[in-house]
Each structure stands twice: as structure tokens, then as C-alpha cells.
Amino acid sequence: MPADAVVSGARPLRLGVLGAADIARRRTLPAVAAEPDVELVAVASRDPHRARRCTEVFGGEPMAGYAALLGRADIDAVYLPLPAALHARWIEAALDAGKHVLAEKPLTIRAADAHRLVASAAARGLVLAENYMFALHPQHACVAELIAAGMIGEVRGMRAAFTIPPLPAGDIRYRPEVGGGALADVGGYPLRASALLLGEPLEVIGATLRVDAARGVDLSGAALLSTPAGVISEVTFGMEHAYRAGYEVWGTGGTIRLERAYATPPDHVPVLHLRTRDDVRTRRLEPDDQFRRAVRAFAAAVRDGADSGLQGDDILRQADLVDRVRAVARRAEITGP
């Protein structure tokens, strides 16, 4: 069968996985298994036992080492859930091997690397996507439609937050050398939501990061963003809070609030709260699997060039925004618990 047969839809997208991370086992590989247009061929890990545990459940061949998987001719694309600090190296290696890439967020630690890799993928005619899967969930399109219909008048501001409770002491997100920290792990979500609903460009007016001095990693932070017209978004993120994962948009005539906007399970029933001058409504939406949507959109981008909403300029705007938050942030160092 010709190598480009996947593009015409003659066979499924043949996928390899670099790394047996928890997010892959819990969410992405079940989504891959549910998609008829994607076939899992192999899972590579530095620990062969972890790779084998994945393939025993989801199929494919377990492999030791990432380079060996990239050398296989029977793999069209790779999914990359490695620690963020390893992304740039292995995305580049995958592109050099002629593979399309779906990488977990953040695509890279530095915006400069994101720009280089996006350009490299484009030059090779390959798809490079960043798995901010939440952006594909229909609940956000519903919010955007209500705003466009004038249900809350002219938008004047937004608050967006993603905060989670403290993690176990040895969690990888407390390790700066592998790309840990609250901004990289959870901060990107409310930043991306702000761009999704308020549009581009967004200027970073100010920011703060609360940094654990002993571990050298940011535990929480906030940013104030503005559109050119002065519409403000107040963003909060952190790994030392009660759980919160939503946003509220308010305008001249009302507000829209979504309480579970980012880590949305497939069976979750989203609830929109719409408040206007004359009415208060609660709207229940259909459940949806945002990981399956991301896998499907990635396969369609490879197959027929459809815009997945997770690639190209979407990657670059996100990387630049996170870089600007980090650059302007006032750092407050803390010691002890």
C-alpha cells in the first residue's frame, strides 16, 4: 500500500506512542482505541514493563526506547506524552523521521523552540499538534455562540481559573528540570481559554508567580491580560488550592459562567449559567469526549489537511502568551510549607 494511503483515507492512521505516561493510559489511549480511523501500532518506554502494561490493555507492540519506534516504517504518526522538557528533542526527532506528531501540552518550554518546530513541520508537510484538547469541547463553542448572539451584550471582561490541590511530594510537576511548575502544567488552560473567547492579540499587563525557593518551581500565579480594546481577563492558576476549573465572561447585559471547563470527563454533563438583567437560566449540554475529539481532529488533519484547531498559529500564539507571562511576572519566593 502506498505510503500516502492514509491521507486519502484508504487505511487508518498508524500511531506510535513515545512514553507510557499516566495521561496516555487514562485518557488518550482509550480515545485512540475508540477511533476506527486510528490504529495503535506500538508503545515505547524507557521501562519495558510500563510499555507492556499499556499494550496488554490497548494493543500494539511494546518497545524499549523511543528511537527504535521512530525508525519503524509502519508508523505514520506519534503521540508524545513525555515530560515537557523532553518535548523539543523528541518532536524534532519525530519530524526528522517523517512522522506526524501529536504532543501533550505544553508543546515546548520556550516559545523559540515552538516557532522552530512549527516551521520545521510545515516545511516537511507534516502535522504538528499540541494537545490542548479542552479547546475542542463543544461547550466552549456554545459559550462563543451565546456571546456572538448578544446574550450578554458587549463583552467587558473575563475571569478564568484552573487550580488543583497540592500533589504528592515526588510528583514530576514539582521538578523544574523536566518542565514542571504551575504555569506550564495548569496555567496554560485559562490562558488558552482567554484567547479562545476574547480573540487575539492579548497583551500581558502584569503577572505574578509564587515560587517554592527550595524546589525552584512555581506553585501558583496570576496574570492580567487585555485585548487592544481594553477587555480584561483575570487569570489564576496553581497547585496549592481547592479545585477550580472554570471561567466567567461578563458583558454590558449579563454574564456566562462555566464551572468545569478544562479536565472534563467523557460522561460529564456541562452546565452553563446565563444571567441577564431580566433572567437567570441554567443550560445543560450533552457530554462529550474531548480526548477523542482531539485524536479524531489530528487524524483528519493528517488524512485530508483539515485544521485541527491544535496546530500552527494556535501553537505559536499560546507559546508566546505563556512566554510573556513568565517574562513579566513578579516572583514571590516562599520557604517552608
Side-chain angles (χ1 to χ4, degrees):
M1 185 173 289
D4 63 351
V6 66
V7 176
S8 65
R11 60 168 167 75
L13 177 70
R14 300 172 300 181
L15 186 71
V17 179
L18 299 185
D22 181 62
I23 190 67
R25 296 192 305 271
R26 287 190 302 107
R27 300 298 302 273
T28 310
L29 289 179
V32 168
E35 273 303 306
D37 288 338
V38 182
E39 174 191 357
L40 180 61
V41 174
V43 177
S45 175
R46 290 174 298 180
D47 180 348
H49 299 293
R50 288 172 64 88
R52 187 174 300 110
R53 284 198 296 270
C54 281
T55 57
E56 285 173 351
V57 176
F58 300 107
E61 178 184 344
M63 299 185 68
Y66 309 138
L69 185 148
L70 293 179
R72 292 181 61 145
D74 60 345
I75 288 177
D76 307 304
V78 296
Y79 166 61
L80 197 152
L82 296 171
L86 300 178
H87 282 194
R89 171 189 175 188
W90 288 105
I91 291 171
E92 184 169 30
L95 295 176
D96 286 345
K99 313 300 186 189
H100 305 279
V101 180
L102 173 63
E104 275 304 326
K105 57 80 199 167
L107 188 86
T108 59
I109 298 300
R110 301 185 310 153
D113 288 330
H115 280 263
R116 174 174 58 81
L117 293 170
V118 168
S120 176
R124 289 173 162 87
L126 296 171
V127 174
L128 172 59
E130 180 181 30
N131 199 25
Y132 269 110
M133 80 305 292
F134 87 93
L136 303 184
H137 197 292
Q139 63 185 339
H140 308 294
C142 183
V143 172
E145 289 166 6
L146 291 172
I147 292 172
M151 294 298 294
I152 60 171
E154 295 184 20
V155 174
R156 290 290 182 258
M158 178 174 177
R159 293 191 184 97
F162 194 7
T163 60
I164 61 175
L167 302 158
D171 193 279
I172 194 172
R173 284 164 285 190
Y174 291 133
R175 294 172 53 192
E177 73 276 11
V178 296
L183 176 58
D185 190 68
V186 294
Y189 289 92
L191 291 172
R192 181 65 175 266
S194 299
L196 191 67
L197 295 172
L198 299 184
E200 298 290 343
L202 290 175
E203 180 183 358
V204 181
I205 304 300
T208 184
L209 291 173
R210 182 174 145 93
V211 179
D212 184 320
R215 289 182 283 198
V217 67
D218 55 290
L219 300 179
S220 61
L224 184 65
L225 314 175
S226 176
T227 70
V231 177
I232 296 296
S233 181
E234 304 168 32
V235 170
T236 304
F237 51 90
M239 306 186 299
E240 51 180 357
H241 305 65
Y243 185 82
R244 187 180 176 195
Y247 58 72
E248 182 176 21
V249 184
W250 67 96
T252 55
T255 63
I256 301 173
R257 177 165 52 90
L258 184 64
E259 292 182 347
R260 192 158 189 178
Y262 313 119
T264 309
D267 59 353
H268 172 68
V269 177
V271 179
L272 292 182
H273 301 276
L274 174 64
R275 180 184 294 270
T276 66
R277 292 188 183 97
D278 306 316
D279 195 14
V280 177
R281 303 180 196 174
T282 298
R283 181 173 175 183
R284 297 169 68 86
L285 307 177
E286 291 295 322
D288 200 276
D289 187 339
Q290 58 194 27
F291 276 83
R292 188 171 177 184
R293 277 189 177 264
V295 169
R296 186 184 305 141
F298 176 64
V302 173
R303 183 177 59 250
D304 55 26
D307 183 359
S308 67
L310 303 172
Q311 62 197 80
D313 288 343
D314 291 301
I315 292 175
L316 300 182
R317 284 191 292 263
Q318 177 73 8
D320 290 341
L321 185 56
V322 172
D323 250 24
R324 292 198 299 272
V325 170
R326 186 177 286 113
V328 307
R330 174 187 176 275
R331 296 169 65 89
E333 291 202 350
I334 61 168
T335 57

